Amino acid sequence: MKIISVVGARPQFIKAAPVSRAIRRHHQEILVHTGQHYDYEMSQVFFEGLNLPAPDYDLGVGSDSHAEQTAKMLTRLEPVILDEKPEMVLVYGDTNSTLAAAVAAAKLCLPLAHVEAGLRSFNRSMPEEINRILTDRVSQLLFCPTQTSVNNLKRENVEEGVHLVGDVMFDVALEAVDRAEKNSTILGRLGVGKKEYLLATVHRAGNTDDLASLNGIVEAFLELGEPLVLPLHPRTKKLLENTGLYEKLADAKHITLTEPLGYLDFIMLQKNAVKILTDSGGVQKEACFHKVPCITLREDTEWVETVTSGWNVLVGADKTRILQAAANSFDGAKDCQGIELWDGRAAERISSIINASAY
Ligand code: UD1
Ligand code: UDP
């Protein structure tokens, strides 16, 4: 079968790595990069670090408003799909690249497969929640990472084509952790010791674009009692600079600001952190995988299993709650590797189901 896979943002390159490898054993894959992320540290570094094949098409869409960005993706994707005549389109996660490819495929009456289907934060002010709901509505194959995501779809009366396959990001983490341990020099480069620092990431629009939230998070970071490593997403860096908060972070002796990091360096930092503070979806799961306590700078999560495991707490952007969680113990947390089908074989399952599908 000829399959067009569409990626465009950092977490999608990571998710695509094991799936692309698995489906290329049986099918012809055409990889399309929308160009949503384009800085070396947000894109190419993952193709190199995870041995992802070079994209067959780079649509070069770049940054813009939601409408402009999604519309450009749609108009640039349609001719590629018409030229290539695939039998299926494969999308990942919940970004604007996901939504654009889903709509393009659905309008051309092509079967659509969605990796990470059924996730819901039940917060429609998140652009990602809209992208998830709309993509799932037009998907024929819905690859769910958790039983909760299967249940969410059932509640929306979607049962046909739904498959619980496990989490592809878990596949990548399992495969890469030893490689990171052997090859990454990040701890030495940043001058931090194992289990001697906190690690943080922030990029969610609800945090960066709301000054009170951004302020709450920055104030908490400034008051943390331990060294903090903070690789800055370009969106966050821009907003910190525009609001005068960047300098405060840069001047703090206990804070190390870095560019966004490659995957192996980042998982090395995750694995060896005392605690992780984040609003990222992927990082919440990876913290759980590495058995590192996670303080999630959001009021909701699609990854509820990480919370019930005891490794993750939701604290929003409130300074006091963040600092309290940073001081708390996470004793008694359970192993996230016990979550059903989080066993490193999600991509294989996806490939087998595609092989067996009638499309
Ligand atoms: C996007 C996804 C989000 C995902 C995140 C992963 C949507 C709506 N959001 O958010 O779900 O969690 O990617 O990281 O699709 N920029 C650069 N260089 C880049 C990319 C972005 O400078 O290579 C800056 C631009 O100023 C841009 C801003 O970051 O306007 C935001 O980028 P965008 O892709 O629109 O959204 P993300 O916040 O990255
Ligand atoms: N990540 C990375 N370098 C960084 C920050 C994150 O490699 O500097 C990885 C992280 O390990 C995870 C993924 O990027 O696999 C998460 O992406 P992001 O937080 O951008 O998006 P989300 O998961 O929130 O959609």
Side-chain angles (χ1 to χ4, degrees):
M1 194 190 300
K2 189 178 198 180
I3 300 172
I4 287 195
S5 300
V6 182
V7 293
R10 171 166 72 186
Q12 294 170 326
F13 311 135
I14 297 166
K15 291 165 199 177
V19 179
S20 174
R21 225 180 348 262
I23 61 177
R24 279 175 192 236
R25 287 195 203 109
H26 305 279
H27 304 286
Q28 182 191 358
E29 182 188 45
I30 306 291
L31 188 63
V32 178
H33 188 327
T34 62
Q36 177 170 352
H37 286 175
Y38 43 86
D39 291 345
Y40 174 82
E41 298 82 12
M42 295 297 288
S43 174
Q44 184 61 26
V45 72
F46 298 99
F47 284 81
E48 292 167 8
L50 295 168
N51 295 321
L52 197 60
D56 298 284
Y57 294 87
D58 190 333
L59 306 181
V61 162
S63 305
D64 219 319
S65 70
H66 285 281
E68 291 279 355
Q69 188 182 55
T70 313
K72 275 187 209 154
M73 289 174 189
L74 258 171
T75 51
R76 294 182 196 184
L77 267 167
E78 190 181 61
V80 172
I81 298 176
L82 287 171
D83 276 0
E84 290 288 348
K85 301 183 183 50
E87 285 137 294
M88 181 175 284
V89 173
L90 179 64
V91 296
Y92 296 88
D94 53 18
T95 71
N96 289 346
S97 299
T98 317
L99 177 65
V103 174
K107 292 282 179 126
L108 294 171
C109 299
L110 281 165
L112 178 71
H114 184 201
V115 176
E116 281 198 358
L119 293 171
R120 298 288 180 268
S121 63
F122 302 101
N123 173 359
R124 288 205 182 195
S125 70
M126 281 182 85
E128 294 84 359
E129 184 76 351
I130 306 300
N131 294 343
R132 292 177 194 127
I133 293 168
L134 297 177
T135 302
D136 284 340
R137 288 311 292 179
V138 292
S139 294
Q140 279 69 42
L141 287 177
L142 298 101
F143 295 121
C144 293
T146 56
Q147 186 57 47
T148 306
S149 50
V150 174
N151 298 345
N152 290 338
L153 290 173
K154 196 168 182 182
R155 227 175 288 120
E156 294 172 17
N157 295 320
V158 181
E159 292 191 66
E160 205 183 321
V162 173
H163 300 271
L164 176 62
V165 293
D167 180 31
V168 294
M169 281 187 119
F170 212 80
D171 293 12
V172 192
L174 259 178
E175 182 272 320
V177 68
D178 290 341
R179 243 171 358 109
E181 201 68 66
K182 279 193 203 106
N183 299 319
S184 170
T185 56
I186 190 71
L187 298 182
R189 271 158 39 222
L190 297 182
V192 290
K194 290 187 177 178
K195 297 294 172 190
E196 287 176 0
Y197 61 90
L198 304 167
L199 173 67
T201 75
V202 181
H203 74 278
R204 204 54 64 200
N207 282 332
T208 58
D209 298 12
D210 177 71
L211 189 54
S213 299
L214 193 59
N215 232 331
I217 292 170
V218 168
E219 289 295 323
F221 287 180
L222 291 172
E223 287 190 26
L224 286 169
E226 286 169 275
L228 174 73
V229 177
L230 179 55
L232 279 181
H233 189 291
R235 166 189 213 105
T236 315
K237 186 169 187 201
K238 193 168 83 182
L239 283 146
L240 288 169
E241 284 170 345
N242 293 346
T243 52
L245 293 168
Y246 182 84
E247 273 197 353
K248 285 192 180 183
L249 291 169
D251 288 347
K253 294 232 160 22
H254 69 292
I255 296 180
T256 305
L257 297 176
T258 75
E259 296 296 310
L261 296 169
Y263 185 71
L264 293 186
D265 282 343
F266 192 73
I267 61 171
M268 189 67 181
L269 278 174
Q270 284 182 304
K271 186 172 182 246
N272 292 296
V274 177
K275 285 181 183 147
I276 295 174
L277 301 101
T278 191
D279 58 10
S280 157
V283 175
Q284 289 175 63
K285 293 183 280 176
E286 289 164 355
C288 203
F289 170 80
H290 295 296
K291 301 191 181 76
V292 175
C294 184
I295 297 161
T296 293
L297 310 169
R298 289 175 47 191
E299 301 290 355
D300 43 60
T301 183
E302 334 45 86
W303 300 102
V304 288
E305 288 76 3
T306 61
V307 176
T308 48
S309 76
W311 285 110
N312 191 9
V313 288
L314 306 177
V315 298
D318 177 71
K319 173 179 140 181
T320 312
R321 286 167 66 201
I322 297 170
L323 290 172
Q324 268 166 3
N328 274 354
S329 128
F330 285 66
D331 288 348
K334 290 181 298 195
D335 193 343
C336 279
Q337 302 202 26
I339 295 173
E340 193 178 356
L341 302 187
W342 284 29
D343 58 1
R345 298 182 48 224
E348 260 177 54
R349 288 190 195 95
I350 288 170
S351 168
S352 306
I353 294 162
I354 290 177
N355 293 347
S357 72
Y359 301 110

